[in-house]
Amino acid sequence: MTQAPARPRTVRRRHDREIVALAVPAFGALVAEPLFVLADSAIVGHLGTAQLAGLGIASALLTTAVSVFVFLAYATTAGVSRRVGAGDLQAAIRQGMDGIWLALLLGAAVIAVVLPTAPSLVELFGASDTAAPYAITYLRISSLGIPAMLIVLAATGVLRGLQNTRTPLYVAVGGFIANALLNVLLVYGAGLGIAGSAWGTVIAQYGMAAVYLWVVVRGALRHGASLRPDRAGIRASAQAGAPLLVRTLSLRAILMIATAVAARLGDADIAAHQIILSLWSLMAFALDAIAIAGQAIIGRYLGAGDAQGAREACRRMVEWGVAVGVVLGLLVVLSRPAFLPLFTGDSAVKDAALPALVIVAVAQPICGVVYVLDGVLMGAGDGPYLAWAMLLTLAVFTPAALLVPAIGGGLTVLWAAMTLMMTMRLVTLWLRTRSGRWIVTGATR
């Protein structure tokens, strides 16, 4: 009898080790990615205000274009991890190669769209006459790097599926350093201005893609996996990613609606909203790292036919999500007085942000569970349910957000609507998890 409690503790410790081993490097890689834009902004900012404004517009367009295809990482992680759990590394890497070929095709399609439409896209964002030429230049050159970034997404999914999040961390850090050095050399050393910044980023992106391809190809050769494009495999990757694309577009729509509503509330509110959104995104990296671990771990358990192990891992990751959410919420509350002055000295902006940040803090444990369950269902390959759940969430959030200006309460009420959105996501994800319908074992779903 005295030995009975030992097994649950042992199981929890095993899951903890797996979560930490995957989540910590994943968090580092996630944080390193936004540093690309930060480095570009710091370097281009010294060229002039018009150049920086142009960079801001082009970067927003490029970030949107790449983030829409994040399903390349998510779907590939789920598929590869299942094959790993089933013990078929050759098929796992073969499936990863299908995702990489799909990324290459999508990247070429994006270039074909962006190059001729760059002036129209920049105009759509309301660029000034002085900023527009710089935005067009940066957008056209940097769009050439989109295939590389999509390859990076797909290859990252391959390595995550193989339970390897350290290599993406090393590549992300190396890419950031290379990007910063190339920007300085080309912008100032070669005197290319904003075009030099764009070329530096493109070169760094292709360097990252080359490293990923070297790692994946080496694994393919070791396990006898074919490197040639397979039409059926590419089609299957696209079909697996399509529901996640719907999910991502719905989430992007929610964020755009929230920003549009904040803009209608006044200058102080939209400024405070952007500050809060930046903090929200930073905290999301920590929670998303656990979700990434969830994708890899759950896929592996289900591929191995271990439904009970998948349930136990899910339960432990939910506990992690709640704990990290509570810690983040407390940090938000405690750091408010020190955090806001870093971004603004305007008392009106601070007054708008302070009560809204309390809502954000309270929501973090909810966010923690949402991110974890999102990762669990992605790892299970339950993309269609995630798509429908997010569409339902969008349908609930949209009228609630649009009513904010009429209701009053400003930014605090808007972020209460954002919390309603996360609560809706929690309900839909929790119901699916409790139903057990996501638990489909085997090498393929």
Side-chain angles (χ1 to χ4, degrees):
M1 294 295 293
T2 56
Q3 297 298 317
R7 185 178 179 277
R9 282 199 298 269
T10 302
V11 171
R12 286 197 300 270
R13 286 171 184 166
R14 186 181 75 243
H15 289 315
D16 288 346
R17 286 194 298 270
E18 288 182 330
I19 293 168
V20 170
L22 291 170
V24 172
F27 175 71
L30 290 170
V31 171
E33 290 172 7
L35 294 179
F36 268 76
V37 177
L38 185 63
D40 288 359
S41 299
I43 293 166
V44 171
H46 291 286
L47 295 174
T49 301
Q51 288 91 331
L52 185 58
L55 172 66
I57 293 167
S59 294
L61 286 164
L62 290 163
T63 301
T64 299
V66 173
S67 64
V68 163
F69 297 110
V70 73
F71 70 84
L72 289 166
Y74 295 158
T76 305
T77 298
V80 171
S81 61
R82 272 184 176 270
R83 300 281 190 179
V84 169
D88 192 347
L89 289 178
Q90 182 185 69
I93 297 175
R94 174 63 259 181
Q95 186 159 353
M97 285 303 305
D98 292 334
I100 291 173
W101 280 111
L102 175 62
L104 187 60
L105 292 173
L106 291 173
V110 173
I111 289 178
V113 171
V114 172
L115 284 179
T117 61
S120 300
L121 291 171
V122 169
E123 183 181 356
L124 185 64
F125 265 60
S128 66
D129 291 339
T130 54
Y134 297 111
I136 294 169
T137 296
Y138 192 92
L139 180 59
R140 278 181 165 158
I141 296 172
S142 290
S143 68
L144 300 177
I146 288 178
M149 288 309 296
L150 298 190
I151 288 172
V152 165
L153 284 176
T156 298
V158 176
L159 295 182
R160 288 173 181 171
L162 294 171
Q163 317 296 297
N164 176 3
T165 56
R166 289 184 178 274
T167 299
L169 171 61
Y170 300 149
V171 175
V173 172
F176 166 71
I177 295 171
N179 177 64
L181 293 175
L182 286 167
N183 268 255
V184 171
L185 290 173
L186 296 176
V187 171
Y188 298 115
L192 296 179
I194 194 169
S197 176
W199 281 117
T201 300
V202 168
I203 294 169
Q205 289 167 344
Y206 275 99
M208 293 171 65
V211 173
Y212 272 118
L213 288 175
W214 176 74
V215 172
V216 174
V217 168
R218 188 178 62 173
L221 295 175
R222 183 186 307 123
H223 296 286
S226 174
L227 299 174
R228 290 182 295 180
D230 177 69
R231 183 175 299 179
I234 294 172
R235 188 186 305 114
S237 293
Q239 289 172 345
L244 297 181
L245 174 61
V246 173
R247 168 201 169 274
T248 300
L249 289 174
S250 300
L251 183 56
R252 296 291 299 183
I254 287 170
L255 296 176
M256 289 175 64
I257 291 169
T259 299
V261 170
R264 292 177 61 189
L265 298 176
D267 290 346
D269 288 283
I270 185 60
H273 178 73
Q274 288 304 115
I275 294 171
I276 295 172
L277 202 58
S278 298
L279 178 62
W280 177 281
S281 298
L282 179 62
M283 292 188 293
F285 288 139
L287 298 173
D288 203 24
I290 304 174
I292 288 169
Q295 293 171 29
I297 293 170
I298 294 298
R300 193 190 74 231
Y301 274 115
L302 293 178
D306 188 354
Q308 182 60 30
R311 290 191 186 93
E312 291 173 350
C314 174
R315 187 179 304 114
R316 189 55 177 163
M317 280 183 283
V318 167
E319 293 170 356
W320 270 79
V322 172
V324 174
V326 169
V327 171
L328 291 174
L330 289 173
L331 288 175
V332 170
V333 172
L334 295 175
S335 66
R336 284 184 306 157
F339 172 76
L340 287 174
L342 296 175
F343 289 86
T344 181
D346 190 329
S347 59
V349 175
K350 292 179 182 178
D351 290 342
L354 279 170
L357 281 171
V358 174
I359 301 295
V360 171
V362 171
Q364 287 313 296
I366 296 174
C367 295
V369 179
V370 167
Y371 274 80
V372 166
L373 294 183
D374 208 36
V376 166
L377 296 185
M378 282 185 191
D382 206 9
Y385 181 83
L386 290 172
W388 283 111
M390 190 59 80
L391 285 171
L392 178 61
T393 301
L394 174 61
V396 171
F397 171 77
T398 300
L402 295 178
L403 283 173
V404 169
I407 294 174
L411 199 63
T412 303
V413 175
L414 176 59
W415 276 93
M418 289 288 284
T419 302
L420 170 65
M421 178 270 293
M422 294 303 293
T423 303
M424 184 67 189
R425 291 185 68 189
L426 174 62
V427 170
T428 57
L429 296 173
W430 184 260
L431 288 174
R432 184 64 168 183
T433 307
R434 287 293 300 272
S435 74
R437 294 178 183 174
W438 58 281
I439 300 177
V440 179
T441 59
T444 58
R445 183 176 173 84

